[in-house]
Amino acid sequence: MKRIKIVLVSIFTLIIVTVYGQNKTLWLDELDMNKVESGWIMSKSKTSTDGNTFTIAGQKFERGIGTHAISRFMLYLNKKGVRFTAQVGVDDESKGGSVQFYLLGDRKIIWESGLMKSDDPAKTIDVKLKGIKKLAFLVTDGNDGIAHDHADWCNAKLEYKGKDCPEFVSQKLSQSANYILTPKPAKTPRINGAKITGASNGKPFQYLIAASGLRPMSFTAENLPQGLSLDTTTGIISGKVVNDGEYDVKITAKNDKGTDTRNLRIVIGKDKLCLTPPMGWNSWNCWGLSVSEEKVKASADAMIASGLIDHGWTYVNIDDGWEGSKRKRNGDITTNEKFPDMKCLVDYIHSKGLKMGIYSSPGEHTCGGYLGSFGYEEQDARIYAQWGIDYLKYDWCTYWDKVDPKPELSAIKKPYIIMKKALEKQNRDIVHSLCQCGLGNVWEWGKEVGQLWRTTDDITDTWESMYSNGFSQYHNTQYAKPGNWNDPDMLVVGKVGWNSTMHDSRLTADEQYTHLSLWCLLSAPLLIGADMSQMDEFTINLLTNDEVIGINQDPLGKQARRLSKDNDIEIWVKDLEDGSKAVGLFYIAESKKAENSFVWEKNPVKSTAKIKVTWSDLGISGKHIVRDLWRQKDLGKYAGKFEIEVPYHGVVLLKITKASSSD
Ligand code: GLA
């Protein structure tokens, strides 16, 4: 009996020791990469961000994870961690990156790399994890933006005790449920969209009267300039105007429930394109290089079916990935098999009252490795015009081969001057949208060559990326005006994925309200990066608030300026045509401290902040009506100041209008 007891105890002890006593190993590359936040595309297991074997200063590694700054994630160790080892650095595939790696345990930095640049040899991490509950991994952008920041955690593995494998800790402080703020559009007609639009004389004009409300709806337009006509059932105004001038047209939308009337100013003359920021969709953030005619058509159809078209969304823009592998003998650009008939596709888009955009690059190749326009600019512009293209996004990739590593300003401008001239020669207006990420302070001279210009690196669907692209736009405020816009990149809402893993935007609801509010205040182009055919109720609601869109499309065309900023709060204000002000109160809870990038056990970050804006800071006095634009609701009349609670990473977007003396 005693012997049996001893044997049983020994077996039991053996089981305990085997299960709990021995260290186990978790390789980081065994984790779910969807949960490893990355500042650009998705993090990768066992390869670098671009899908290559890890290589740091020539040294190759087989295992690990490839991330892109700013990247972060947290694991719950529950004091079961023993040791973490890895070799880290900037991958050789990206020249010019600079990052900082951090490892934090329960709010304390337990290892940091210091600034690491491309070509720096890998640094070794070997740390003990005794007593740590939460282990956080962070790669920052080295304080110079995220461009080229391909950060590898090679041979990264964690030893731990016990049977439970460390799990991810969610980093979302605000509620993840997408909550809806805006009431549904009324059944009565309401005319939305741009109140001013322009074109060159003698070139095709097209404008769709965007109106929400019950269908069928009919339209009228009084005082149309000679050469234009209105389709009274679709609301499409088209034709060609021969004489320069400004025409005030009275447009009316009518249905069974009522009518709505508004003034539309049509401006005909030179340099009159994009008098308000372009609004539409672009294929890149969802489809990447896998874009096809089918997907573009489905997006246009969804723009109509979801009702977005009734709120001013107009452009359907194909990004990189449509080009053929070889030009024709005569040098004409070709499409690849995914776009069998571009002219037919464009005709389809136009027939719906929408406009069509396309993409190219001034180098021999585009960023995606397709044919670029170098040496064929005029021929390409001619083909675009023949197809009926309305908008060209013109990149920079591979044009580096044509210039010095530190090019003069004249060399930076050159390809855009060439393309501007080529576009102007065509028999139709084509918007020129520059995409060289701010090179040569493009905001200072972009107006000489185009209507809009990218000011930042590519955006991705993380708070860090959206924050850094959007809130950095305080330095270029003065350069935005009707016809010329700073472009902090496209909207990362709805389902995005760059054709890798299609997923819901990782921005929380509050972060998405912040994103839209800020882009509207900034008079930024609004180009939806989502798969339009999969938009949920939240996304549609987010994109169809006419009062919020109205801030973006305000005819005065001012860009908001940053009124104040501290570590936690930013206030931005935009002057509007009617004398009122749009004000964004943002609780950014931002801090450069590594430990504040994470949600810890006892989070130091409050879930709401009280934000106050004073009339003296806004340069106004007396009683003002304060309206909450997301809720489309007046909050009351205030004198001197207004104060409100704002959610973490969220916004309250206000319109502040002088109360009339009778109010
Ligand atoms: C660059 C641009 C992106 C997209 C891709 C296409 O990265 O910044 O917006 O157009 O090229 O290859």
Side-chain angles (χ1 to χ4, degrees), residues 500-536:
S500 48
T501 324
M502 194 67 97
H503 56 273
D504 287 321
S505 171
R506 287 171 291 174
L507 298 181
T508 63
D510 285 316
E511 289 168 352
Q512 295 190 48
Y513 285 121
T514 291
H515 187 14
L516 250 289
S517 305
L518 183 60
W519 262 239
C520 287
L521 286 163
L522 292 172
S523 304
L526 297 180
L527 291 166
I528 302 166
D531 174 1
M532 301 267 281
S533 58
Q534 287 196 62
M535 281 189 300
D536 58 11

Short mmCIF file of all heavy atoms in Angstrom, two decimals, residues 500-536:
data_model
loop_
_atom_site.label_atom_id
_atom_site.label_comp_id
_atom_site.label_asym_id
_atom_site.label_seq_id
_atom_site.Cartn_x
_atom_site.Cartn_y
_atom_site.Cartn_z
N SER A 500 -3.66 42.35 -48.33
CA SER A 500 -3.10 41.21 -47.59
C SER A 500 -4.24 40.62 -46.77
O SER A 500 -5.02 39.84 -47.30
CB SER A 500 -1.88 41.60 -46.74
OG SER A 500 -2.14 42.74 -45.99
N THR A 501 -4.37 41.02 -45.51
CA THR A 501 -5.49 40.48 -44.76
C THR A 501 -6.54 41.57 -44.65
O THR A 501 -6.34 42.55 -43.96
CB THR A 501 -5.03 40.09 -43.33
OG1 THR A 501 -3.72 39.58 -43.43
CG2 THR A 501 -5.96 39.10 -42.71
N MET A 502 -7.65 41.39 -45.34
CA MET A 502 -8.72 42.37 -45.28
C MET A 502 -9.32 42.33 -43.88
O MET A 502 -9.67 41.26 -43.39
CB MET A 502 -9.76 42.01 -46.34
CG MET A 502 -10.74 43.10 -46.62
SD MET A 502 -9.99 44.54 -47.40
CE MET A 502 -10.35 44.22 -49.10
N HIS A 503 -9.37 43.46 -43.24
CA HIS A 503 -9.87 43.48 -41.85
C HIS A 503 -10.57 44.81 -41.58
O HIS A 503 -10.35 45.79 -42.29
CB HIS A 503 -8.70 43.30 -40.88
CG HIS A 503 -7.61 44.33 -41.08
ND1 HIS A 503 -6.58 44.18 -41.98
CD2 HIS A 503 -7.41 45.53 -40.51
CE1 HIS A 503 -5.79 45.24 -41.95
NE2 HIS A 503 -6.28 46.08 -41.07
N ASP A 504 -11.36 44.84 -40.51
CA ASP A 504 -11.95 46.10 -40.09
C ASP A 504 -10.83 47.03 -39.66
O ASP A 504 -9.87 46.58 -39.02
CB ASP A 504 -12.89 45.88 -38.90
CG ASP A 504 -14.17 45.19 -39.34
OD1 ASP A 504 -14.66 45.52 -40.43
OD2 ASP A 504 -14.65 44.30 -38.61
N SER A 505 -10.97 48.29 -40.00
CA SER A 505 -9.96 49.26 -39.59
C SER A 505 -9.66 49.07 -38.11
O SER A 505 -10.58 48.91 -37.29
CB SER A 505 -10.49 50.67 -39.82
OG SER A 505 -9.60 51.60 -39.22
N ARG A 506 -8.36 49.10 -37.78
CA ARG A 506 -8.00 48.90 -36.38
C ARG A 506 -8.23 50.16 -35.54
O ARG A 506 -8.00 50.16 -34.35
CB ARG A 506 -6.54 48.44 -36.29
CG ARG A 506 -6.36 46.99 -36.74
CD ARG A 506 -4.90 46.62 -36.86
NE ARG A 506 -4.27 47.31 -37.97
CZ ARG A 506 -2.97 47.26 -38.23
NH1 ARG A 506 -2.17 46.59 -37.45
NH2 ARG A 506 -2.47 47.91 -39.27
N LEU A 507 -8.67 51.24 -36.19
CA LEU A 507 -9.01 52.43 -35.41
C LEU A 507 -10.31 52.17 -34.66
O LEU A 507 -11.25 51.61 -35.23
CB LEU A 507 -9.20 53.63 -36.33
CG LEU A 507 -7.99 54.08 -37.15
CD1 LEU A 507 -8.35 55.30 -37.99
CD2 LEU A 507 -6.80 54.40 -36.26
N THR A 508 -10.37 52.60 -33.41
CA THR A 508 -11.62 52.46 -32.66
C THR A 508 -12.64 53.45 -33.23
O THR A 508 -12.29 54.32 -34.04
CB THR A 508 -11.41 52.82 -31.18
OG1 THR A 508 -11.02 54.20 -31.12
CG2 THR A 508 -10.36 51.97 -30.52
N ALA A 509 -13.89 53.33 -32.77
CA ALA A 509 -14.92 54.25 -33.25
C ALA A 509 -14.49 55.69 -32.98
O ALA A 509 -14.57 56.55 -33.87
CB ALA A 509 -16.23 53.94 -32.55
N ASP A 510 -14.01 55.95 -31.77
CA ASP A 510 -13.61 57.32 -31.45
C ASP A 510 -12.46 57.78 -32.34
O ASP A 510 -12.41 58.94 -32.76
CB ASP A 510 -13.22 57.43 -29.97
CG ASP A 510 -14.46 57.41 -29.09
OD1 ASP A 510 -15.42 58.11 -29.44
OD2 ASP A 510 -14.48 56.69 -28.08
N GLU A 511 -11.54 56.88 -32.61
CA GLU A 511 -10.42 57.25 -33.48
C GLU A 511 -10.90 57.55 -34.91
O GLU A 511 -10.35 58.42 -35.59
CB GLU A 511 -9.36 56.15 -33.45
CG GLU A 511 -8.64 56.09 -32.10
CD GLU A 511 -7.78 54.85 -31.89
OE1 GLU A 511 -7.82 53.91 -32.71
OE2 GLU A 511 -7.07 54.82 -30.87
N GLN A 512 -11.93 56.83 -35.34
CA GLN A 512 -12.46 57.10 -36.68
C GLN A 512 -13.20 58.43 -36.72
O GLN A 512 -13.12 59.16 -37.70
CB GLN A 512 -13.35 55.95 -37.14
CG GLN A 512 -12.54 54.66 -37.30
CD GLN A 512 -13.32 53.54 -37.97
OE1 GLN A 512 -13.95 53.74 -38.99
NE2 GLN A 512 -13.24 52.36 -37.40
N TYR A 513 -13.92 58.76 -35.65
CA TYR A 513 -14.55 60.08 -35.60
C TYR A 513 -13.47 61.18 -35.62
O TYR A 513 -13.62 62.20 -36.27
CB TYR A 513 -15.44 60.22 -34.36
CG TYR A 513 -16.75 59.46 -34.47
CD1 TYR A 513 -17.11 58.47 -33.58
CD2 TYR A 513 -17.66 59.76 -35.50
CE1 TYR A 513 -18.32 57.78 -33.69
CE2 TYR A 513 -18.86 59.08 -35.63
CZ TYR A 513 -19.19 58.09 -34.72
OH TYR A 513 -20.38 57.42 -34.85
N THR A 514 -12.38 60.92 -34.91
CA THR A 514 -11.26 61.87 -34.91
C THR A 514 -10.70 62.02 -36.32
O THR A 514 -10.46 63.13 -36.80
CB THR A 514 -10.16 61.38 -33.93
OG1 THR A 514 -10.66 61.48 -32.61
CG2 THR A 514 -8.89 62.19 -34.05
N HIS A 515 -10.50 60.88 -36.98
CA HIS A 515 -9.92 60.84 -38.33
C HIS A 515 -10.76 61.71 -39.30
O HIS A 515 -10.25 62.62 -39.94
CB HIS A 515 -9.91 59.38 -38.76
CG HIS A 515 -9.23 59.05 -40.04
ND1 HIS A 515 -8.38 59.91 -40.70
CD2 HIS A 515 -9.26 57.91 -40.79
CE1 HIS A 515 -7.94 59.32 -41.79
NE2 HIS A 515 -8.46 58.11 -41.88
N LEU A 516 -12.05 61.43 -39.34
CA LEU A 516 -12.93 62.17 -40.26
C LEU A 516 -12.99 63.65 -39.89
O LEU A 516 -12.91 64.53 -40.76
CB LEU A 516 -14.33 61.56 -40.21
CG LEU A 516 -14.81 60.81 -41.44
CD1 LEU A 516 -15.08 61.75 -42.59
CD2 LEU A 516 -13.79 59.76 -41.90
N SER A 517 -13.15 63.93 -38.60
CA SER A 517 -13.26 65.32 -38.15
C SER A 517 -12.02 66.10 -38.55
O SER A 517 -12.10 67.20 -39.07
CB SER A 517 -13.40 65.40 -36.63
OG SER A 517 -14.47 64.62 -36.20
N LEU A 518 -10.86 65.49 -38.29
CA LEU A 518 -9.61 66.21 -38.56
C LEU A 518 -9.44 66.43 -40.05
O LEU A 518 -9.09 67.52 -40.50
CB LEU A 518 -8.43 65.42 -37.97
CG LEU A 518 -7.06 66.09 -38.11
CD1 LEU A 518 -7.04 67.44 -37.40
CD2 LEU A 518 -5.96 65.20 -37.54
N TRP A 519 -9.70 65.40 -40.85
CA TRP A 519 -9.54 65.53 -42.31
C TRP A 519 -10.50 66.62 -42.84
O TRP A 519 -10.16 67.35 -43.75
CB TRP A 519 -9.76 64.20 -42.99
CG TRP A 519 -8.50 63.43 -43.31
CD1 TRP A 519 -8.11 63.03 -44.55
CD2 TRP A 519 -7.46 62.97 -42.41
NE1 TRP A 519 -6.90 62.36 -44.48
CE2 TRP A 519 -6.47 62.31 -43.18
CE3 TRP A 519 -7.26 63.05 -41.04
CZ2 TRP A 519 -5.33 61.74 -42.64
CZ3 TRP A 519 -6.10 62.49 -40.49
CH2 TRP A 519 -5.16 61.85 -41.27
N CYS A 520 -11.69 66.71 -42.25
CA CYS A 520 -12.63 67.74 -42.68
C CYS A 520 -12.13 69.12 -42.28
O CYS A 520 -12.16 70.06 -43.07
CB CYS A 520 -14.02 67.47 -42.12
SG CYS A 520 -14.81 66.08 -42.94
N LEU A 521 -11.64 69.24 -41.06
CA LEU A 521 -11.10 70.53 -40.62
C LEU A 521 -9.91 70.95 -41.48
O LEU A 521 -9.73 72.12 -41.79
CB LEU A 521 -10.66 70.45 -39.15
CG LEU A 521 -11.79 70.41 -38.11
CD1 LEU A 521 -11.26 69.92 -36.77
CD2 LEU A 521 -12.42 71.79 -37.96
N LEU A 522 -9.11 69.96 -41.87
CA LEU A 522 -7.89 70.26 -42.64
C LEU A 522 -8.17 70.56 -44.11
O LEU A 522 -7.24 70.82 -44.87
CB LEU A 522 -6.92 69.07 -42.56
CG LEU A 522 -6.29 68.78 -41.20
CD1 LEU A 522 -5.51 67.48 -41.25
CD2 LEU A 522 -5.38 69.93 -40.78
N SER A 523 -9.42 70.49 -44.52
CA SER A 523 -9.76 70.62 -45.94
C SER A 523 -8.95 69.62 -46.75
O SER A 523 -8.46 69.93 -47.85
CB SER A 523 -9.47 72.03 -46.46
OG SER A 523 -10.14 72.98 -45.71
N ALA A 524 -8.77 68.44 -46.19
CA ALA A 524 -8.00 67.41 -46.89
C ALA A 524 -8.89 66.72 -47.90
O ALA A 524 -10.10 66.62 -47.69
CB ALA A 524 -7.49 66.39 -45.87
N PRO A 525 -8.30 66.20 -48.99
CA PRO A 525 -9.09 65.36 -49.89
C PRO A 525 -9.67 64.21 -49.09
O PRO A 525 -9.00 63.67 -48.20
CB PRO A 525 -8.06 64.84 -50.90
CG PRO A 525 -6.81 65.57 -50.64
CD PRO A 525 -6.92 66.33 -49.38
N LEU A 526 -10.91 63.84 -49.38
CA LEU A 526 -11.53 62.72 -48.66
C LEU A 526 -11.62 61.56 -49.63
O LEU A 526 -12.50 61.53 -50.49
CB LEU A 526 -12.93 63.11 -48.17
CG LEU A 526 -13.01 64.26 -47.16
CD1 LEU A 526 -14.46 64.51 -46.76
CD2 LEU A 526 -12.18 63.97 -45.91
N LEU A 527 -10.68 60.65 -49.52
CA LEU A 527 -10.69 59.47 -50.40
C LEU A 527 -10.80 58.23 -49.53
O LEU A 527 -9.88 57.90 -48.77
CB LEU A 527 -9.44 59.44 -51.27
CG LEU A 527 -9.43 60.56 -52.33
CD1 LEU A 527 -8.07 60.73 -52.96
CD2 LEU A 527 -10.48 60.32 -53.41
N ILE A 528 -11.94 57.58 -49.66
CA ILE A 528 -12.22 56.42 -48.82
C ILE A 528 -11.32 55.26 -49.25
O ILE A 528 -11.24 54.94 -50.43
CB ILE A 528 -13.71 56.00 -48.98
CG1 ILE A 528 -14.62 57.17 -48.63
CG2 ILE A 528 -14.02 54.77 -48.17
CD1 ILE A 528 -16.06 56.98 -49.09
N GLY A 529 -10.68 54.63 -48.25
CA GLY A 529 -9.78 53.52 -48.59
C GLY A 529 -10.41 52.17 -48.32
O GLY A 529 -9.71 51.16 -48.30
N ALA A 530 -11.71 52.13 -48.11
CA ALA A 530 -12.36 50.87 -47.71
C ALA A 530 -12.84 50.07 -48.91
O ALA A 530 -13.03 50.61 -49.99
CB ALA A 530 -13.57 51.20 -46.83
N ASP A 531 -13.08 48.78 -48.66
CA ASP A 531 -13.81 47.98 -49.63
C ASP A 531 -15.27 48.44 -49.52
O ASP A 531 -15.96 48.14 -48.55
CB ASP A 531 -13.68 46.50 -49.28
CG ASP A 531 -14.55 45.63 -50.18
OD1 ASP A 531 -15.24 46.20 -51.06
OD2 ASP A 531 -14.55 44.41 -50.00
N MET A 532 -15.69 49.17 -50.54
CA MET A 532 -17.01 49.82 -50.47
C MET A 532 -18.16 48.82 -50.45
O MET A 532 -19.23 49.11 -49.96
CB MET A 532 -17.19 50.73 -51.67
CG MET A 532 -16.13 51.79 -51.74
SD MET A 532 -16.68 53.27 -50.93
CE MET A 532 -17.70 53.90 -52.19
N SER A 533 -17.90 47.65 -51.04
CA SER A 533 -19.01 46.70 -51.10
C SER A 533 -19.22 46.00 -49.75
O SER A 533 -20.14 45.22 -49.59
CB SER A 533 -18.79 45.68 -52.22
OG SER A 533 -17.58 45.03 -51.99
N GLN A 534 -18.34 46.27 -48.79
CA GLN A 534 -18.51 45.63 -47.47
C GLN A 534 -18.66 46.65 -46.35
O GLN A 534 -18.25 46.40 -45.23
CB GLN A 534 -17.27 44.81 -47.15
CG GLN A 534 -17.13 43.55 -47.93
CD GLN A 534 -16.10 42.65 -47.24
OE1 GLN A 534 -16.26 42.23 -46.12
NE2 GLN A 534 -15.01 42.39 -47.94
N MET A 535 -19.22 47.81 -46.65
CA MET A 535 -19.33 48.83 -45.60
C MET A 535 -20.48 48.48 -44.65
O MET A 535 -21.58 48.15 -45.11
CB MET A 535 -19.60 50.19 -46.22
CG MET A 535 -18.35 50.83 -46.78
SD MET A 535 -18.64 52.52 -47.27
CE MET A 535 -19.90 52.32 -48.48
N ASP A 536 -20.21 48.56 -43.35
CA ASP A 536 -21.28 48.29 -42.38
C ASP A 536 -22.01 49.60 -42.05
O ASP A 536 -21.65 50.67 -42.54
CB ASP A 536 -20.73 47.62 -41.12
CG ASP A 536 -19.66 48.47 -40.45
OD1 ASP A 536 -19.51 49.65 -40.83
OD2 ASP A 536 -19.00 47.96 -39.54
#
